Protein backbone atom coordinates (compact mmCIF):
# COMPACT_ATOMS: atom_id res chain seq x y z
CA UNK A 1 0.00 0.00 0.00
CA UNK A 2 1.38 3.43 -0.95
CA UNK A 3 1.11 5.59 2.18
CA UNK A 4 1.32 8.81 0.19
CA UNK A 5 -1.59 7.86 -2.08
CA UNK A 6 -4.46 10.38 -1.84
CA UNK A 7 -6.95 7.50 -1.55
CA UNK A 8 -5.01 5.64 1.16
CA UNK A 9 -6.58 5.32 4.65
CA UNK A 10 -3.94 7.56 6.20
CA UNK A 11 -4.60 10.32 3.66
CA UNK A 12 -8.34 10.02 4.23
CA UNK A 13 -7.72 10.19 7.98
CA UNK A 14 -5.65 13.35 7.53
CA UNK A 15 -8.39 14.89 5.38
CA UNK A 16 -11.16 14.07 7.85
CA UNK A 17 -9.01 15.31 10.72
CA UNK A 18 -8.46 18.61 8.93
CA UNK A 19 -12.21 19.00 8.39
CA UNK A 20 -12.79 18.19 12.06
CA UNK A 21 -10.26 20.79 13.23
CA UNK A 22 -11.86 23.46 11.05
CA UNK A 23 -15.27 22.64 12.57
CA UNK A 24 -14.02 22.47 16.15
CA UNK A 25 -12.16 25.78 15.88
CA UNK A 26 -15.30 27.47 14.59
CA UNK A 27 -17.29 25.95 17.43
CA UNK A 28 -14.78 27.14 20.01
CA UNK A 29 -14.85 30.65 18.55
CA UNK A 30 -18.65 30.77 18.82
CA UNK A 31 -18.68 29.38 22.34
CA UNK A 32 -15.99 31.81 23.54
CA UNK A 33 -17.77 34.69 21.83
CA UNK A 34 -21.07 33.83 23.58
CA UNK A 35 -19.58 33.39 27.05
CA UNK A 36 -19.71 35.55 30.17
CA UNK A 37 -18.55 39.14 29.82
CA UNK A 38 -15.83 40.72 31.86
CA UNK A 39 -18.41 42.35 34.18
CA UNK A 40 -20.22 39.09 34.87
CA UNK A 41 -23.21 39.92 32.63
CA UNK A 42 -24.81 37.72 29.98
CA UNK A 43 -25.70 38.75 26.47
CA UNK A 44 -29.28 38.81 25.30
CA UNK A 45 -30.88 35.39 25.73
CA UNK A 46 -32.36 35.26 22.25
CA UNK A 47 -28.93 35.90 20.68
CA UNK A 48 -27.54 33.15 22.89
CA UNK A 49 -30.24 30.71 21.78
CA UNK A 50 -29.69 31.46 18.10
CA UNK A 51 -25.91 31.08 18.36
CA UNK A 52 -26.17 27.92 20.46
CA UNK A 53 -28.54 26.35 17.93
CA UNK A 54 -25.88 26.90 15.26
CA UNK A 55 -23.27 25.43 17.59
CA UNK A 56 -25.45 22.33 18.12
CA UNK A 57 -25.67 21.79 14.36
CA UNK A 58 -21.89 22.14 14.01
CA UNK A 59 -21.36 19.77 16.95
CA UNK A 60 -23.51 17.17 15.20
CA UNK A 61 -21.49 17.68 12.02
CA UNK A 62 -18.25 17.31 13.99
CA UNK A 63 -19.64 14.14 15.53
CA UNK A 64 -20.25 12.75 12.03
CA UNK A 65 -16.71 13.60 10.95
CA UNK A 66 -15.40 11.92 14.10
CA UNK A 67 -17.36 8.79 13.15
CA UNK A 68 -15.68 8.87 9.73
CA UNK A 69 -12.31 9.12 11.48
CA UNK A 70 -13.14 6.04 13.53
CA UNK A 71 -14.17 4.08 10.43
CA UNK A 72 -11.06 5.17 8.54
CA UNK A 73 -8.88 4.14 11.48
CA UNK A 74 -10.04 0.54 11.07
CA UNK A 75 -8.57 0.51 7.55
CA UNK A 76 -5.11 1.67 8.65
CA UNK A 77 -2.62 -1.19 9.16
CA UNK A 78 -2.09 -2.06 12.80
CA UNK A 79 1.62 -1.35 12.52
CA UNK A 80 0.84 2.28 11.64
CA UNK A 81 -2.31 2.75 13.75
CA UNK A 82 -0.86 3.85 17.11
CA UNK A 83 -0.27 7.60 16.38
CA UNK A 84 -3.61 7.86 14.61
CA UNK A 85 -5.35 6.37 17.65
CA UNK A 86 -3.77 9.10 19.80
CA UNK A 87 -4.90 11.77 17.35
CA UNK A 88 -8.43 10.33 17.33
CA UNK A 89 -8.57 10.34 21.14
CA UNK A 90 -7.40 13.96 21.17
CA UNK A 91 -10.16 14.87 18.74
CA UNK A 92 -12.71 13.08 20.92
CA UNK A 93 -11.51 15.01 23.95
CA UNK A 94 -11.85 18.32 22.09
CA UNK A 95 -15.37 17.44 20.99
CA UNK A 96 -16.36 16.40 24.50
CA UNK A 97 -14.98 19.64 25.93
CA UNK A 98 -16.95 21.69 23.39
CA UNK A 99 -20.13 19.75 24.15
CA UNK A 100 -19.71 20.39 27.87
CA UNK A 101 -19.11 24.09 27.22
CA UNK A 102 -22.27 24.19 25.07
CA UNK A 103 -24.32 22.57 27.84
CA UNK A 104 -22.97 25.10 30.36
CA UNK A 105 -24.00 27.99 28.13
CA UNK A 106 -27.44 26.40 27.62
CA UNK A 107 -27.85 26.30 31.38
CA UNK A 108 -26.73 29.95 31.65
CA UNK A 109 -29.26 30.98 29.01
CA UNK A 110 -32.01 29.09 30.84
CA UNK A 111 -31.14 30.85 34.10
CA UNK A 112 -31.06 34.19 32.33
CA UNK A 113 -34.51 33.65 30.83
CA UNK A 114 -35.89 32.41 34.16
CA UNK A 115 -34.54 35.28 36.28
CA UNK A 116 -34.34 37.92 33.55
CA UNK A 117 -30.58 38.39 33.91
CA UNK A 118 -28.85 41.77 33.72
CA UNK A 119 -28.17 43.36 30.40
CA UNK A 120 -24.80 43.06 28.71
CA UNK A 121 -22.21 45.39 30.19
CA UNK A 122 -24.04 46.07 33.49
CA UNK A 123 -21.75 46.43 36.50
CA UNK A 124 -22.21 44.15 39.48
CA UNK A 125 -21.99 47.15 41.88
CA UNK A 126 -24.55 49.20 39.97
CA UNK A 127 -27.35 50.06 42.47
CA UNK A 128 -29.91 50.17 39.70
CA UNK A 129 -28.83 46.75 38.59
CA UNK A 130 -29.15 45.50 42.17
CA UNK A 131 -32.60 47.05 42.45
CA UNK A 132 -33.60 45.51 39.15
CA UNK A 133 -32.31 42.15 40.38
CA UNK A 134 -34.40 42.51 43.55
CA UNK A 135 -37.44 43.34 41.44
CA UNK A 136 -36.82 40.30 39.30
CA UNK A 137 -36.52 38.12 42.39
CA UNK A 138 -39.76 39.55 43.73
CA UNK A 139 -41.38 38.92 40.38
CA UNK A 140 -40.06 35.36 40.43
CA UNK A 141 -41.43 34.88 43.95
CA UNK A 142 -44.79 36.24 42.85
CA UNK A 143 -44.74 33.88 39.87
CA UNK A 144 -44.04 30.93 42.19
CA UNK A 145 -46.85 32.05 44.50
CA UNK A 146 -49.18 32.32 41.55
CA UNK A 147 -48.11 28.83 40.46
CA UNK A 148 -48.83 27.51 43.97
CA UNK A 149 -52.26 29.12 43.90
CA UNK A 150 -52.96 27.55 40.53
CA UNK A 151 -51.76 24.21 41.85
CA UNK A 152 -54.09 24.49 44.86
CA UNK A 153 -56.95 25.45 42.56
CA UNK A 154 -56.17 22.44 40.38
CA UNK A 155 -56.15 20.18 43.44
CA UNK A 156 -59.48 21.65 44.60
CA UNK A 157 -61.00 21.12 41.16
CA UNK A 158 -59.63 17.56 41.12
CA UNK A 159 -61.22 16.86 44.53
CA UNK A 160 -64.54 18.34 43.39
CA UNK A 161 -64.37 16.27 40.22
CA UNK A 162 -63.62 13.17 42.30
CA UNK A 163 -66.63 13.87 44.54
CA UNK A 164 -68.84 14.43 41.52
CA UNK A 165 -67.55 11.19 40.04
CA UNK A 166 -68.35 9.35 43.30
CA UNK A 167 -71.87 10.85 43.31
CA UNK A 168 -72.33 9.79 39.71
CA UNK A 169 -71.18 6.25 40.54
CA UNK A 170 -73.62 6.09 43.45
CA UNK A 171 -76.45 7.34 41.23
CA UNK A 172 -75.55 4.76 38.58
CA UNK A 173 -75.47 2.04 41.23
CA UNK A 174 -78.95 3.03 42.43
CA UNK A 175 -80.23 3.09 38.86
CA UNK A 176 -78.72 -0.35 38.32
CA UNK A 177 -80.50 -1.67 41.41
CA UNK A 178 -83.77 -0.15 40.20
CA UNK A 179 -83.30 -1.73 36.78
CA UNK A 180 -82.54 -5.10 38.39
CA UNK A 181 -85.66 -4.78 40.58
CA UNK A 182 -87.74 -3.88 37.52
CA UNK A 183 -86.30 -6.87 35.68
CA UNK A 184 -87.18 -9.16 38.60
CA UNK A 185 -90.71 -7.70 38.63
CA UNK A 186 -91.04 -8.29 34.91
CA UNK A 187 -89.81 -11.86 35.32
CA UNK A 188 -92.42 -12.42 38.05
CA UNK A 189 -95.09 -10.90 35.81
CA UNK A 190 -94.03 -13.15 32.94
CA UNK A 191 -94.30 -16.17 35.25
CA UNK A 192 -97.78 -15.11 36.38
CA UNK A 193 -98.86 -14.52 32.80
CA UNK A 194 -97.56 -17.96 31.81
CA UNK A 195 -99.52 -19.52 34.68
CA UNK A 196 -102.67 -17.59 33.78
CA UNK A 197 -102.26 -18.58 30.15
CA UNK A 198 -101.95 -22.25 31.14
CA UNK A 199 -105.08 -21.97 33.31
CA UNK A 200 -107.04 -20.36 30.47
CA UNK A 201 -105.94 -23.09 28.10
CA UNK A 202 -107.12 -25.75 30.56
CA UNK A 203 -110.49 -23.96 30.96
CA UNK A 204 -110.90 -23.74 27.19
CA UNK A 205 -110.13 -27.46 26.78
CA UNK A 206 -112.59 -28.27 29.57
CA UNK A 207 -115.25 -26.08 27.89
CA UNK A 208 -114.75 -27.92 24.61
CA UNK A 209 -115.13 -31.26 26.39
CA UNK A 210 -118.31 -30.07 28.09
CA UNK A 211 -119.70 -28.97 24.73
CA UNK A 212 -118.97 -32.37 23.26
CA UNK A 213 -120.63 -34.10 26.21
CA UNK A 214 -123.70 -31.83 25.96
CA UNK A 215 -123.86 -32.44 22.25
CA UNK A 216 -123.82 -36.21 22.79
CA UNK A 217 -126.44 -35.98 25.52
CA UNK A 218 -128.66 -33.81 23.29
CA UNK A 219 -128.25 -36.22 20.42
CA UNK A 220 -129.15 -39.17 22.65
CA UNK A 221 -132.24 -37.39 24.02
CA UNK A 222 -133.43 -36.51 20.53
CA UNK A 223 -132.89 -40.12 19.45
CA UNK A 224 -134.86 -41.37 22.46
CA UNK A 225 -137.72 -38.96 21.76
CA UNK A 226 -137.83 -40.01 18.12
CA UNK A 227 -137.76 -43.66 19.11
CA UNK A 228 -140.61 -43.19 21.59
CA UNK A 229 -142.72 -41.32 19.03
CA UNK A 230 -142.05 -43.97 16.43
CA UNK A 231 -142.88 -46.74 18.88
CA UNK A 232 -146.24 -45.14 19.75
CA UNK A 233 -147.17 -44.65 16.15
CA UNK A 234 -146.37 -48.24 15.32
CA UNK A 235 -148.52 -49.60 18.19
CA UNK A 236 -151.53 -47.53 17.13
CA UNK A 237 -151.54 -49.31 13.83
Amino acid sequence: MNIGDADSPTSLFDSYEQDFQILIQGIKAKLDGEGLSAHGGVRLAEQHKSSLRKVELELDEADDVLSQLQLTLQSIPKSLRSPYVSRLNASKAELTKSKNRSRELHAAVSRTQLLGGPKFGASSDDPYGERSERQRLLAGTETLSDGNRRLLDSQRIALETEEQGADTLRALRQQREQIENSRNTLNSADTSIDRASGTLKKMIRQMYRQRVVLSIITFVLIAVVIFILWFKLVRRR
Side-chain angles (χ1 to χ4, degrees):
M1 179 186 297
N2 188 0
I3 301 301
D5 190 356
D7 294 331
S8 66
T10 55
S11 298
L12 288 175
F13 188 95
D14 292 338
S15 177
Y16 285 132
E17 186 181 30
Q18 184 179 3
D19 293 340
F20 176 83
Q21 289 299 326
I22 293 173
L23 282 171
I24 206 68
Q25 292 303 322
I27 291 170
K28 288 180 178 180
K30 289 184 177 65
L31 293 176
D32 293 339
E34 296 300 326
L36 298 176
S37 70
H39 299 288
V42 182
R43 295 185 180 181
L44 295 177
E46 290 301 324
Q47 293 178 357
H48 268 304
K49 291 175 64 177
S50 177
S51 298
L52 289 175
R53 278 195 291 267
K54 294 178 182 178
V55 168
E56 287 179 355
L57 295 176
E58 293 182 359
L59 284 172
D60 291 339
E61 187 175 355
D63 221 344
D64 293 338
V65 176
L66 196 62
S67 298
Q68 293 296 328
L69 281 171
Q70 290 177 323
L71 291 175
T72 306
L73 182 64
Q74 304 300 321
S75 303
I76 297 176
K78 292 183 178 180
S79 59
L80 303 174
R81 192 177 297 177
S82 179
Y84 293 96
V85 172
S86 300
R87 290 160 61 181
L88 178 62
N89 292 333
S91 298
K92 288 182 179 180
E94 288 183 329
L95 182 60
T96 301
K97 184 177 179 181
S98 297
K99 287 181 177 180
N100 292 335
R101 178 62 175 161
S102 177
R103 282 194 289 268
E104 290 174 359
L105 289 179
H106 269 293
V109 170
S110 299
R111 287 194 299 269
T112 300
Q113 290 181 323
L114 179 62
L115 300 177
K119 294 184 178 179
F120 176 71
S123 176
S124 60
D125 57 355
D126 185 0
Y128 296 100
E130 183 179 356
R131 185 184 307 168
S132 177
E133 182 70 20
R134 185 180 298 109
Q135 290 175 352
R136 282 190 293 272
L137 290 174
L138 291 174
T141 303
E142 184 178 355
T143 301
L144 290 175
S145 299
D146 185 58
N148 288 332
R149 286 194 296 270
R150 291 182 180 179
L151 180 60
L152 292 176
D153 291 338
S154 300
Q155 291 177 347
R156 178 178 54 80
I157 293 173
L159 290 175
E160 292 177 355
T161 304
E162 184 178 358
E163 291 178 357
Q164 292 177 358
D167 293 337
T168 302
L169 288 175
R170 283 193 293 268
L172 290 174
R173 190 178 298 111
Q174 292 176 357
Q175 292 178 1
R176 179 182 177 182
E177 292 176 356
Q178 292 176 356
I179 291 173
E180 289 179 351
N181 292 333
S182 300
R183 184 176 61 184
N184 293 334
T185 302
L186 288 175
N187 290 333
S188 300
D190 288 339
T191 303
S192 301
I193 290 173
D194 291 337
R195 291 176 181 176
S197 176
T199 303
L200 288 174
K201 288 179 180 179
K202 290 179 181 179
M203 293 174 64
I204 291 172
R205 287 196 296 269
Q206 187 175 0
M207 182 185 66
Y208 285 153
R209 286 197 295 269
Q210 290 176 354
R211 285 184 180 180
V212 171
V213 172
L214 289 175
S215 298
I216 293 172
I217 292 173
T218 303
F219 177 76
V220 171
L221 289 175
I222 292 173
V224 170
V225 171
I226 292 173
F227 178 75
I228 292 172
L229 292 174
W230 177 78
F231 182 74
K232 288 183 177 181
L233 290 174
V234 170
R235 289 191 62 182
R236 285 181 182 179
R237 293 178 181 175

